[in-house]
């Protein structure tokens, strides 16, 4: 999809910066033998990508996934983060309840 929308119900201030629209950057990451796009949200910049080593979807402060803010556990190797494969957890190991990732279409609707 051209973008993903990350939304949340009540969310801690620590994770409020991850909410927003993530658009395709044109960059990609290699995950096993697949190539997956990297998505970017502006202000503050956050990246949504699939981690090369684990195949889990992550939200990070950088495009290579070194500074991970959240990860969707049990999403190993899934083609898209807009699933309910597993909960999103913070770097502190705590589950972030109410976090939703939704694929958007080319008309800008999710």
């Amino acid at each position: 999809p051209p973008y993903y929308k990350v939304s949340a119900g009540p969310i801690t201030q620590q994770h409020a910066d991850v909410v927003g629209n993530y658009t395709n950057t044109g960059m990609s990451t290699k995950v096993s033998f697949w190539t997956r796009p990297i998505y970017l949200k502006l202000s503050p910049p956050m990246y949504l990508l699939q981690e090369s080593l684990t195949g889990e979807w992550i939200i990070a402060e950088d495009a290579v996934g070194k500074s991970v803010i959240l990860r969707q556990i049990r999403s190993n190797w899934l083609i898209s983060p807009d699933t309910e494969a597993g909960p999103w957890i913070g770097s502190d190991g705590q589950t972030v309840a109410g976090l939703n990732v939704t694929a958007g279409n080319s008309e800008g609707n999710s």
Side-chain angles (χ1 to χ4, degrees), residues 34-102:
W34 299 292
T35 300
R36 299 282 196 247
I38 298 173
Y39 296 86
L40 169 66
K41 178 189 76 69
L42 301 174
S43 190
M46 295 281 171
Y47 294 86
L48 174 66
L49 63 139
Q50 198 167 23
E51 194 172 52
S52 297
L53 208 53
T54 66
E56 294 178 333
W57 283 92
I58 61 172
I59 296 176
E61 293 178 330
D62 58 277
V64 293
K66 293 288 182 195
S67 183
V68 176
I69 305 297
L70 297 172
R71 82 176 45 249
Q72 186 184 30
I73 60 171
R74 295 191 296 273
S75 63
N76 312 57
W77 319 115
L78 295 176
I79 194 168
S80 176
D82 63 341
T83 66
E84 295 182 16
W88 287 86
I89 61 168
S91 55
D92 59 1
Q94 297 295 311
T95 299
V96 180
L99 188 79
N100 296 305
V101 178
T102 309

Side-chain angles (χ1 to χ4, degrees), residues 19-42:
V19 173
N21 289 334
Y22 290 73
T23 57
N24 192 323
T25 63
M27 297 185 297
S28 61
T29 185
K30 192 77 168 165
V31 181
S32 187
F33 54 88
W34 299 292
T35 300
R36 299 282 196 247
I38 298 173
Y39 296 86
L40 169 66
K41 178 189 76 69
L42 301 174

